Structures are given as structure tokens and as C-alpha cells.
């Protein structure tokens, strides 16, 4: 019997908000032929085999590299008792770590300077052989050295430049402060001409000392307060914000700073102020007393800044050259180093004797591929002794492995979408799938994008089924499309109800009676008749329709889930779970929700337009069923009795589901203890004969 | 405050953080990890093993050869990042509680800086040695002050430690003895205040935290007493430094105040069952554990126990303390490995 898998995807819309994707699969157990390779998936994991590999020392590296490329073996750790750092190939792993560290540094720098040049063509380089490792190491070492040197040069230069810029700012900004101070000290020049001198001013002015510097803007307030407190208000601080963007040479970030001048009297205060400046990481710069000196100094500083700028641009150019060479290859290098590291990690799991012995799991169906990889590896290493691969008998639990993971691992519920939205979604998903290769290579994308990208197949299907549902509901971006022509017509109404074409133009609303206006033999061929979109009761009609569909599909989905558990229980031959879980669950579900579905179908069939006035509300019917009330209109004969029986059955299912299994397990547990003769509070006593 | 603190309502504000910290706690190194660490031959080996623990790639970007100080920095950095994440996501009263945890580091930093400047070290050299959890803006201006009154008026007055400092303001000048007095007075007031804050919170937090803080208070009292023998600290001054929120208060503290040698301290501890065991297990012979280690062990035990209860803040405190102990352990082992002095490598204090 051939294993066949039928996948049926149903898209179902609850209300108008949620959307579920139902993944429906029916599988028949494979009973005969084992090699049904192309049968697709079932819910069970692939059959796994425990394999043991004997690899030659020379060929082991290449073979494992090939196994890595096919990605079908899960290696088991055969050295569990050995510490990570005492394993044989730990030095090689360390060398790879070191290479990765250098690459990370280069990447970080490249990301900072020339992010656009980091290219990723999705290349997948072959695992380099150990002999290539030295070359790579050497190459990275050189690159790292060059880059670090260039960087430290650049840092020193930027630091110099920053200091000069700050000094220039001080010279410029303080101009105003000193001018104010001079005016304050020599209030009126003409006054002194008149011979009127103020002895107080003369006595004071030479004693004032000052410190100029630059401090980061966010620390200024606290700095000022500290100065005031520590010097008891005996200092005078003037400050001005620097508008120029200053770049921190180490972090490369823009920092906001302020220029300040502190005036004080006496040496003691000078030391104190200096210490506080140091504590607040303010940079102090010497500033000449007289205006002309300040001017000269500013001019000098300006030329020096220009000089430094020239050298700095050359250094930056040099750094850029180094980086752009590296940026082109960095992804490939990363891939190479990581592959080497992975191979050595696997080698560390192996048992190393005369041959290298590895154990692991692989899908039984793919053993041929493993053999092929081993052959390729042996050829690549140039040895002639082939690797030996044994399948072992084992009682260990195999790992779970599903083949078509691309499809199943990313399951995500997304946005509601009918035809129009569905089309967008479909196109988006299609775009992602068509560009799969490129995206797969792209690393470091955002988490949200990865989630969406991972779910591209699901989104594609969701899009497709949304389009389908859009057709059914005749709804594209909330507008309906009249493709086939409505089956509702006013023509009959004109004759029977005495209305004319004029009535339509004059009456704002007309009630259409389906008995007259609907042509029953030619329904709208696909989905809902577009006339509903014009009607006033569109929402109540559509809601009722969608709600009923949702209930039916939802119950089908729940039922499907329950039957999935049956498949699992029978696989593990777990009778108690079937008897105490599965059966009552099915009965419970059927007797309430299943019954509701049946009522929905009955209602659809039984009531046409002529008798719809007496159709009972199903919601009220269900509520009355629980409240044991009689219904005003029966849906069918004997409804009351049927409902009471279903209700009793459903109620009985509850203790059945909740109590039976624990009780049985408890009984089993007690019995087994009785048999083994173990009492509750004692250690097991060995049996003696 | 009590309403949001108990049972089901606790999770509204603090459930996420409690879950987070319990997750962090699962990353604490186990006995097995330590057994592996002490087998390391070099610091590189140590790095490899730590990579397989919760620390992950925390040393991956460090160029070799590794120094112990780098490991220390990185270990501490991880704790600081975790703590800051917790603090940033917390709301009252948990945020105040977490702030209280940082105060002890602030005290340590202040004392470190004052002692350093007393020995003519520059602030820029001392600042990196300060614990990042106890950093505050005014801290580095300590170089500019010369008396305790100045210290209070310019620096401490703006910090949360202001209230703890009032008792020290009468200290005349800054010499080594006075700095110790300032440190212990600050600590004493801090512990008492923290203790009162936790009792105010009520519920399980009070139960757990008061026990831990009571032990901390008693430990300080005992250590202060033992360390004061042979110094010029008078008995009265000594008694003023004892935190009064432990089990020893009041009778035990009164007895400690009279003690003149180690045996008398021991005699005091004999009246308290849990401390008696600690003194009995301690000794100065090679192979014995020191009293200090025994006290640390007891602290670890209390902190581990705090994770046995749910819906309280104690686990935040305990996590920080356990992690500190872990950092001390790893550094101890690293030092032993780096100096090739393996005889005492087993003197770490395992947490599990």
C-alpha cells in the first residue's frame, strides 16, 4: 500500500478579523514497500539510523567537511567525560576563534566606514583544507595589523584635531566674556581720563585668575552646582554652548560641549577649581590674557587645524583602501572560518584511536548520500582507504527530523486579507520565494523580517487562499465586483408590485423580496451575489453567513486536531489515552459543537425565502438547550429529546476525561509496587535467592 | 505599598522581572562548572570553559593573552548590564529597592576614592576601579575636598547617601582611621534604613530580606569587633558602628562592645545557634576555612534560599549577591591559574 499524503489547505475566516490556516493532512500507514522516497511527508519523524563511521586520520577532516555540506548527520558526543578545553582539536578551534575575532573587528570597521561596500553574493565557499588555514590566518593577521595601525593613527589625529577645535572655540567664545569683564573693571574709559580713578578696581583687577576649558553639555549643570558648593560661591562661571558638531575620536559619536571660563581669586581656589574640572572630565586649555595674543593664537590654531585635516584625510583614504579590499570578501571569509570551526567541533566529538570513530544519527533513507559524501571526502584528501560506515542496532531514542521543514517550521498567523489584500500578500510572498537564494545569504536581518521571510510559503498560500475566499465573499478591498451579472432582478417586481422604473429613481430604499426578485435557477456562479454589497443589511447578512461557515470549519479543525492525537496514541500503542482521552473528547465535541454544525446545515436546507420568517435562531436554540427550555419553533421533530440526550452525554464526558486516566495510572502504579515489593518509604531491597 | 506586593497582584508590576531574574539565576555556575574550571591549565582554557556556560562569548573580542583584570571587568560588566536592565524596567517600589542595592556600592566607591586621594593617587587612575553600579556624577570631584564636612556639603548632600552621613559630620579630619569610621557608619545607617524599608514593604519581601539583612548586620558587627583588636578604636566608638538591625541586637551587640579578644567574640556567638556553627567550623590551620569564608558560605545559603519563595523582591538582592560571589570565585580561580599557585585553588565558595 502506498503511503499517500493529501494536503488540503482550508482558509477560513472568523468574523472578519481572524484568519486561520488549516493544515489538513490525511495519511495512511505505510505497510509494505520501504523505499517510497517521493511520498512526501507524514507527521512522523523520518526513520533515523544510528551510524558509526571509521575515518582515516588523513581523510577525517575532508569527510566531515563533506558531511557538513549535505547536513544529514547529527553527531553524538563520544567524549562526554572530557572537558571542552582538554579535547584534541581545541587549539584549532581557538585559532578559528581568533580569526573570527579579527574578522569581526574588520567587519565592524567596514560597517562604520563603508557599509555600502560589504557585499554578499550568497556565495557558499567550499570548506578550506587545514593547509589553507595558515594562509587565511596570515592574511587576517596582516589585515588586522594594518587596520589597527591606521585606526590608531586616525584616532590620534582626530584627537589632536578635536583639541585644536575646542581651543579655537574657547578663543572665540571667551572674547565676549573678557570684553564684558574689562568693561566691568574699567567702567568708563573717559572717567579715568578725567583723573577719577577707583582704587578698589585697581586693587582687585590684577588678582583675578581664570581657567578656561570645555565640558560636555549634560554635565554642565551639575558642574556649576559643584563649583558653587565647593568654593562657597566665590567663583564666577561664564559659559557658552559650542554649536559646531564635535566628534568623539574613540566612539565616533557627535558630542555636545560647552566652553566655560571660571574667574576666581587666589591660588587655593585655583587648585580646587582645577581638581573639580578634572573630576568632571572637563578639558582645560591655556588662554592668553590679552586680546591681541588671543587673536594671534587663534590664527595659529586655525593653520594647524588645516594641516591636521590634510593628514587626517590621507589617513582616512588609506584606511578606506584597506577596508574596501576586505569588505568584498568578508562574508566569504566568515563562511570559511565558520566551516573550519564546525569541522573541528565535530572532530572533537569523535573518538580518536587508530582511526577516528564518529557516531551519529542520519535519516535511513539518506544513507546513500552519506556514503557519497564519504567517498568525495576520501578523494579530496587523496587517501585510498575508504571510510567505513556501519549501521548500528540501538535502543537509544532517535532525534526527530522532518524533511520539509522549509514549509512547516514557520507557521504564522497574519493579517486578515480577502482577495485584494490576498493578491498583495501573494505577490509579496512570491517575490520572497523567487529571491530566496539572495535572502538566504543575507545575514543579520531584523527579527521581524526573518519571521516573515521564514513564513514565505505560508504567506504565499495564505495569499492564494485569501484570493479564493475573496472570490467566495465577492470582496476585493471591501468592494464587490459584478462579473457575471446579478441574479436579482427588479423586473418581476415591476409587474407584481406595481412599481415602475421611475420608482427606483425616486425611492431611496427598496426592499427586495427574494420570492419575486430572485431568479432561483440561475444563481450567481461564484461566491456571493454582488447585489448584497449595495444592500443595507449587508453586514448582518454577511456576518451570519461567515459566522456559520466559521463554526463549521472551526469544528472541523478541532476534530482534526483530536484525530491527530489518535494517530499519535495508536503509534505508541497507548490504549489508555485512546479510551480516556480521545473517545470522550470526540463525543463531547460532537454532542455540542458537532450538533451545532448539523443544525446549521439543516437550517440552510430547510428554510427558503418563503418560510424564512419562522426560521429559529441557532444561537438562542443552543442557549435554550443548556438551560433546558423548550423552543418556540422546532427545527425538526423530536428536537427536545435529542438535545437532552446529547446534553447528558456531554456532561458525562467531563468526569470521564478528567478522572479516568489519573485513576488508572494510580492503580497501575500501586499494582507495580505491589509486584516489586517496594514500600513507600524504603529503598529497593535486592532480591535474594 | 502592601497591596501590590502579595500573591497574584505582584505579577502585575513585577512578574516579568521576577521571571527574568529567575532565568538569570539559572545561568549561575554550578559545582560541576567549578570542578571543570579548577582543572584549567591556562586562562585560555578558562575562557573556553566559560564560553560553554551562560557567559557565552563575553571574552570573544579580547585579544590574547588574557589578563585576570580583563576577565574581572567582563564578568562584572555582565552583572551590571543585567542589573541595569532590571532597574530600567522596574516600577515603584521595586525601583527604590533596586536603588538601595546600589547604595552599598556608592559607599564603597566614596571610600575607595578618599583613601586613594589620601595616598596621592590621581582620580583618573582611581575612577576605573570604582564599581559601575555605585557610580554617580559628583563622585570624581572628591579630589577637591579635604574634610568630612566638605565631603558632605559638596558631594554627598546631593546623593541618596546624605541621610546616612549625618553621624559622620562631627569627624574632624580625614585620616585612615576616620575613613574607616565613615565607611562603617555609612554602612550601618544604610543597613538600618534598608532594613526599615524592607519591613515597610511587608509580606514575603520583609520576611526574606530582613533575615538576609539581619545576618549582614551581625556579620559586620562581628568583623568590626575582630578587626578593631589592636587598633586605637575605643570601645565606645566601636559600639557606635554596629548596625542595630540584626539578631545580635541588643544583648549580643552589648556583649560584643565589651569584648577584648577573639575568644570573647566567640563566646558571644555561642549564644546564637546559627553563628555558633560558623565559629566552630572556622580555623586558621592550613586546610581549615577562615571565619570570613564561613560567613560568606552562610550568606550564599541565605541568598539561595530566597529563591525558594515567590512574589518578593528578595530574589533581586540575592541574585546580585550570588553573582558577586560567583565573580569572586572565578577571579580567585583565575588568579590561582595565572600565578600557577594551585594549592589553594579549591578555596572558592560554590553556590550550588
Amino acid at each position: 500500500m502506498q503511503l499517500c499524503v493529501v494536503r488540503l489547505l482550508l482558509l477560513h475566516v472568523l468574523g472578519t478579523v481572524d484568519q486561520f490556516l488549516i493544515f489538513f493532512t490525511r495519511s495512511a500507514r505505510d505497510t509494505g514497500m520501504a523505499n517510497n522516497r517521493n511520498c512526501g511527508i507524514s507527521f512522523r519523524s523520518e526513520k533515523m539510523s544510528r551510524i558509526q563511521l571509521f575515518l582515516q586520520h588523513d581523510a577525517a577532516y575532508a569527510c566531515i567537511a563533506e558531511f557538513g555540506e549535505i547536513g544529514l548527520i547529527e553527531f553524538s558526543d563520544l567524549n562526554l567525560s572530557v572537558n571542552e578545553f582538554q579535547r584534541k582539536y581545541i587549539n584549532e578551534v581557538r585559532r578559528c576563534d581568533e580569526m573570527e575575532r579579527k574578522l569581526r573587528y574588520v567587519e565592524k570597521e567596514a560597517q562604520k566606514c563603508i557599509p555600502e561596500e560589504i557585499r554578499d553574493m550568497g556565495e557558499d565557499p567550499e570548506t578550506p583544507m587545514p593547509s589553507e588555514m595558515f594562509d587565511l590566518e596570515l592574511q587576517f593577521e596582516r589585515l588586522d595589523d594594518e587596520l589597527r595601525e591606521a585606526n590608531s593613527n586616525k584616532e590620534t589625529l582626530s584627537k589632536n584635531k578635536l583639541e585644536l577645535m575646542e581651543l579655537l572655540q574657547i578663543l572665540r567664545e571667551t572674547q565676549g566674556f573678557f570684553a564684558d569683564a574689562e568693561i566691568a573693571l574699567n567702567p568708563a574709559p573717559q572717567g579715568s581720563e578725567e583723573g577719577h580713578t577707583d582704587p578698589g578696581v585697581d586693587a582687585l583687577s590684577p588678582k583675578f585668575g581664570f581657567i578656561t576649558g570645555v565640558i560636555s553639555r549634560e554635565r554642565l549643570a551639575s558642574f556649576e552646582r559643584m563649583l558653587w558648593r565647593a568654593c562657597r560661591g566665590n567663583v564666577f562661571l561664564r559659559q557658552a554652548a559650542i554649536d559646531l558638531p564635535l566628534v568623539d575620536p574613540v566612539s565616533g559619536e557627535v558630542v555636545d560641549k560647552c566652553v566655560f571660563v571660571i574667574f576666581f581669586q587666589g591660588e587655593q581656589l585655583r587648585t580646587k577649581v582645577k581638581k573639580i574640572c578634572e573630576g568632571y572630565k572637563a578639558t582645560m586649555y591655556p588662554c592668553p590674557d590679552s586680546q591681541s595674543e588671543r587673536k594671534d593664537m587663534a590664527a595659529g590654531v586655525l593653520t594647524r587645524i588645516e594641516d591636521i585635516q590634510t593628514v587626517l584625510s590621507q589617513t582616512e583614504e588609506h584606511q578606506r583602501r584597506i577596508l574596501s579590499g576586505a569588505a568584498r570578501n568578508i562574508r566569504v571569509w566568515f563562511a570559511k572560518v565558520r566551516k573550519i570551526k564546525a569541522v573541528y567541533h565535530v572532530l572533537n566529538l569523535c573518538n580518536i584511536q587508530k582511526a577516528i570513530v564518529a557516531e551519529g544519527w542520519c535519516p535511513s533513507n539518506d544513507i546513500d548520500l552519506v556514503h557519497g559524501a564519504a567517498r568525495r571526502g576520501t578523494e579530496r584528501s587523496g587517501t585510498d582507504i575508504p571510510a567505513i560506515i556501519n549501521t548500528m542496532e540501538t535502543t537509544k531514542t532517535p532525534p526527530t527530523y522532518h524533511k520539509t521543514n522549509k514549509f512547516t517550521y514557520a507557521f504564522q498567523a497574519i493579517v486578515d486579507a480577502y482577495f485584494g489584500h490576498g493578491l498583495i500578500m501573494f505577490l509579496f510572498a512570491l517575490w520572497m520565494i523567487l529571491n530566496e537564494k539572495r535572502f538566504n545569504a543575507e545575514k543579520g536581518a531584523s527579527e521581524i523580517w526573518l519571521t516573515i521571510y521564514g513564513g514565505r510559503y505560508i504567506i504565499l498560500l495564505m495569499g492564494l487562499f485569501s484570493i479564493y475566499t475573496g472570490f467566495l465573499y465577492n470582496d476585493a478591498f471591501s468592494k464587490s465586483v459584478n462579473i457575471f451579472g446579478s441574479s436579482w432582478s427588479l423586473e418581476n417586481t415591476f409587474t407584481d408590485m406595481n412599481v415602475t422604473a421611475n420608482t427606483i429613481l425616486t425611492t431611496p430604499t427598496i426592499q427586495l423580496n427574494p420570492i419575486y426578485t430572485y431568479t432561483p435557477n440561475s444563481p450567481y456562479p461564484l461566491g456571493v451575489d454582488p447585489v448584497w454589497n449595495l444592500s443595507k443589511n449587508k453586514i448582518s447578512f454577511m456576518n451570519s453567513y461567515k459566522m456559520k461557515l466559521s463554526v463549521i470549519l472551526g469544528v472541523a479543525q478541532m476534530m482534526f486536531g483530536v484525530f491527530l492525537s489518535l494517530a499519535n496514541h495508536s503509534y505508541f500503542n497507548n490504549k489508555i489515552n485512546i479510551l480516556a482521552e480521545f473517545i470522550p473528547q470526540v463525543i463531547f465535541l460532537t454532542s455540542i459543537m458537532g450538533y451545532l454544525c448539523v443544525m446549521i446545515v439543516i437550517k440552510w436546507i430547510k428554510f427558503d425565502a418563503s418560510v424564512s420568517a419562522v426560521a429559529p435562531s441557532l444561537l438562542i436554540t443552543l442557549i435554550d438547550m443548556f438551560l433546558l427550555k423548550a423552543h418556540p419553533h422546532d427545527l425538526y421533530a423530536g428536537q427536545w429529546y435529542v438535545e437532552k440526550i446529547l446534553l447528558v452525554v456531554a456532561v458525562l464526558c467531563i468526569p470521564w476525561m478528567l478522572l479516568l486516566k489519573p485513576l488508572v495510572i494510580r492503580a497501575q502504579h500501586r499494582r507495580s509496587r505491589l509486584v516489586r515489593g517496594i514500600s513507600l518509604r524504603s529503598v529497593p531491597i535486592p532480591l535474594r535467592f | 505599598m502592601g497591596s501590590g506586593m502579595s500573591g497574584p497582584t505582584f505579577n502585575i508590576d513585577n512578574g516579568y522581572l521576577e521571571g527574568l531574574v529567575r532565568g538569570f539565576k539559572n545561568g549561575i555556575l554550578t559545582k560541576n562548572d567549578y570542578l571543570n574550571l579548577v582543572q584549567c591549565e591556562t586562562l585560555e582554557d578558562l575562557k573556553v570553559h566559560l564560553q560553554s556556560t551562560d557567559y557565552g562569548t563575553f571574552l570573544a573580542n579580547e585579544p590574547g593573552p588574557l589578563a585576570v583584570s580583563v576577565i574581572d571587568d567582563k564578568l562584572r560588566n555582565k552583572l551590571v548590564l543585567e542589573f541595569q536592565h532590571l532597574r530600567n524596567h522596574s516600577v515603584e517600589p521595586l525601583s527604590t529597592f533596586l536603588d538601595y542595592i546600589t547604595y552599598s556600592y556608592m559607599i564603597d566607591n566614596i571610600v575607595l576614592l578618599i583613601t586613594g586621594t589620601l595616598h596621592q593617587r590621581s582620580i583618573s587612575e582611581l575612577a576605573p576601579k570604582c564599581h559601575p553600579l555605585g557610580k554617580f556624577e559628583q563622585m570624581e570631584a572628591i579630589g577637591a575636598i579635604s574634610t568630612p564636612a566638605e565631603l558632605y556639603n559638596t558631594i554627598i548632600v546631593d546623593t541618596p547617601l546624605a541621610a546616612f552621613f549625618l553621624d559622620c559630620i562631627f569627624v574632624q579630619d580625614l585620616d585612615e582611621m576616620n575613613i574607616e569610621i565613615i565607611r562603617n557608619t555609612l554602612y550601618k545607617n544604610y543597613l538600618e534604613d534598608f532594613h526599615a524599608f524592607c519591613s515597610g514593604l511587608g509580606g514575603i519581601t520583609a520576611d526574606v530580606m530582613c533575615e538576609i539583612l539581619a545576618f549582614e548586620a551581625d556579620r559586620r558587627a562581628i568583623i568590626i569587633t575582630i578587626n578593631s583588636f589592636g587598633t586605637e578604636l575605643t570601645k565606645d566608638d566601636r559600639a557606635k558602628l554596629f548596625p542595630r538591625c540584626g539578631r545580635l541586637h541588643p544583648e549580643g551587640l552589648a556583649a560584643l562592645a565589651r569584648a577584648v579578644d577573639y575568644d570573647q567574640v566567640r563566646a558571644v556567638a555561642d549564644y546564637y545557634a546559627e553563628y555558633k556553627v560558623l565559629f566552630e567550623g572556622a580555623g586558621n590551620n592550613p586546610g581549615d576555612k577562615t571565619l570570613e569564608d564561613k560567613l560568606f558560605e552562610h550568606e550564599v545559603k541565605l541568598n539561595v534560599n530566597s529563591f525558594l519563595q515567590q512574589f518578593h523582591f528578595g530574589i533581586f538582592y540575592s541574585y546580585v549577591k550570588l553573582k558577586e560571589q560567583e565573580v569572586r570565585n572565578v577571579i580567585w580561580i583565575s588568579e590561582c591559574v595565572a600565578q600557577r599557585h594551585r594549592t589553594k585553588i579549591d578555596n572558592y565558595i560554590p553556590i550550588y
Side-chain angles (χ1 to χ4, degrees), chain A residues 419-657:
Chain A
F419 176 81
H421 306 87
L423 193 64
I424 293 174
M425 208 149 88
F426 174 77
L427 291 175
F428 177 58
L430 200 64
W431 170 71
M432 285 197 288
I433 288 168
L434 292 179
N435 290 311
E436 207 170 55
K437 265 241 156 74
R438 190 159 67 82
F439 288 133
N440 271 339
E442 218 160 88
K443 297 291 179 312
S446 77
E447 199 177 334
I448 295 173
W449 162 252
L450 284 180
T451 320
I452 296 175
Y453 174 68
R456 62 200 177 280
Y457 287 96
I458 292 164
I459 298 175
L460 182 82
L461 284 172
M462 284 164 75
L464 260 180
F465 281 89
S466 296
I467 296 172
Y468 169 66
T469 325
F471 272 120
L472 283 191
Y473 289 159
N474 204 339
D475 184 335
F477 294 117
S478 301
K479 293 278 173 241
S480 60
V481 190
N482 190 354
I483 305 173
F484 305 104
S486 173
S487 300
W488 294 65
S489 160
L490 278 175
E491 272 170 32
N492 300 330
T493 320
F494 289 160
T495 51
D496 291 343
M497 295 186 68
N498 204 14
V499 285
T500 59
N502 203 28
T503 325
I504 297 175
L505 299 174
T506 50
T507 335
T509 51
I510 306 171
Q511 191 169 6
L512 300 184
N513 188 335
I515 297 172
Y516 306 114
T517 49
Y518 184 64
T519 32
N521 293 328
S522 60
Y524 194 74
L526 177 65
V528 175
D529 197 305
V531 79
W532 281 106
N533 205 40
L534 304 171
S535 68
K536 276 206 143 179
N537 61 344
K538 173 195 172 189
I539 296 202
S540 55
F541 167 74
M542 289 302 267
N543 276 0
S544 146
Y545 173 53
K546 288 174 183 171
M547 186 82 87
K548 286 184 177 113
L549 261 186
S550 307
V551 169
I552 292 175
L553 292 177
V555 172
Q557 187 188 10
M558 287 194 264
M559 211 43 134
F560 169 62
V562 176
F563 272 90
L564 269 187
S565 74
L566 173 67
N568 210 31
H569 298 327
S570 59
Y571 181 83
F572 289 112
N573 205 7
N574 197 338
K575 286 205 186 84
I576 172 113
N577 276 6
I578 298 180
L579 284 175
E581 275 180 16
F582 171 72
I583 295 179
Q585 275 171 355
V586 170
I587 297 177
F588 186 77
L589 195 60
T590 331
S591 55
I592 295 174
M593 299 312 288
Y595 175 61
L596 181 63
C597 294
V598 172
M599 284 201 294
I600 290 172
V601 177
I602 293 178
K603 192 179 166 183
W604 275 339
I605 296 171
K606 199 171 170 186
F607 298 91
D608 65 5
S610 58
V611 287
S612 61
V614 294
S617 157
L618 292 183
L619 188 63
I620 304 294
T621 310
L622 201 66
I623 293 171
D624 284 350
M625 171 176 164
F626 286 109
L627 298 179
L628 307 173
K629 273 198 207 157
H631 310 300
H633 301 284
D634 270 1
L635 204 58
Y636 55 90
Q639 190 182 0
W640 197 89
Y641 298 101
V642 173
E643 285 180 359
K644 292 298 109 41
I645 291 168
L646 289 176
L647 193 63
V648 170
V649 169
V651 170
L652 284 179
C653 283
I654 295 171
W656 184 0
M657 277 188 283

Side-chain angles (χ1 to χ4, degrees), chain B residues 262-320:
Chain B
Y262 183 81
D263 287 330
Q264 288 184 11
V265 176
R266 191 181 173 139
V268 176
D270 275 350
Y271 291 110
Y272 300 85
E274 60 271 55
Y275 302 144
K276 188 179 176 193
V277 226
L278 300 180
F279 274 83
E280 276 168 2
N284 281 328
N285 303 324
D288 283 354
K289 287 186 167 157
T290 60
L291 177 63
E292 214 176 3
D293 281 352
K294 290 301 269 185
L295 291 168
F296 271 134
E297 265 174 24
H298 189 69
E299 188 195 4
V300 164
K301 196 176 103 196
L302 290 178
N303 284 322
V304 169
N305 285 349
S306 100
F307 280 90
L308 297 180
Q309 301 213 49
Q310 222 186 332
F311 305 134
H312 67 101
F313 293 164
I315 57 166
F316 296 98
Y317 180 87
S318 295
Y319 176 68
V320 173

Side-chain angles (χ1 to χ4, degrees), chain B residues 251-262:
Chain B
E251 291 86 0
L253 291 184
L256 274 185
R258 288 189 299 271
V260 290
D261 58 25
Y262 183 81

Side-chain angles (χ1 to χ4, degrees), chain A residues 83-86 90 94 97-98 101 104 218-219 222 225-226 229-230 232 272 275-276 278-281, chain B residues 36 39-40 44-45 48-49 51 60-64 137-138 140-141 143-144 150 153-155 157-158:
Chain A
N83 275 331
E84 188 85 20
F85 51 84
Q86 287 165 345
I90 190 64
R94 264 185 208 148
D97 275 341
E98 189 64 15
R101 185 180 65 76
R104 267 200 303 275
E218 73 244 20
R219 308 196 75 172
S222 162
R225 193 164 56 233
M226 174 65 66
R229 285 215 170 111
R232 297 163 203 253
K272 202 165 237 183
K275 275 190 176 154
I276 292 173
E278 278 162 16
Y280 273 79
K281 298 209 173 61
Chain B
N36 281 329
Q39 290 178 39
C40 291
E44 301 296 321
D45 287 351
V48 171
H49 184 77
Q51 262 172 8
N61 281 337
E62 292 307 318
E137 210 177 12
Q138 304 90 338
E140 290 172 33
E150 247 183 340
N153 283 326
T154 54
I155 290 166
V157 68
D158 278 337

Side-chain angles (χ1 to χ4, degrees), chain A residues 340-361:
Chain A
I340 301 175
K341 194 167 149 189
V343 171
Y344 282 118
H345 264 308
V346 171
L347 280 172
N348 271 338
L349 302 178
C350 299
N351 197 345
I352 295 158
Q353 299 158 352
K354 277 188 180 158
I356 290 181
V357 185
E359 273 182 36
W361 296 96

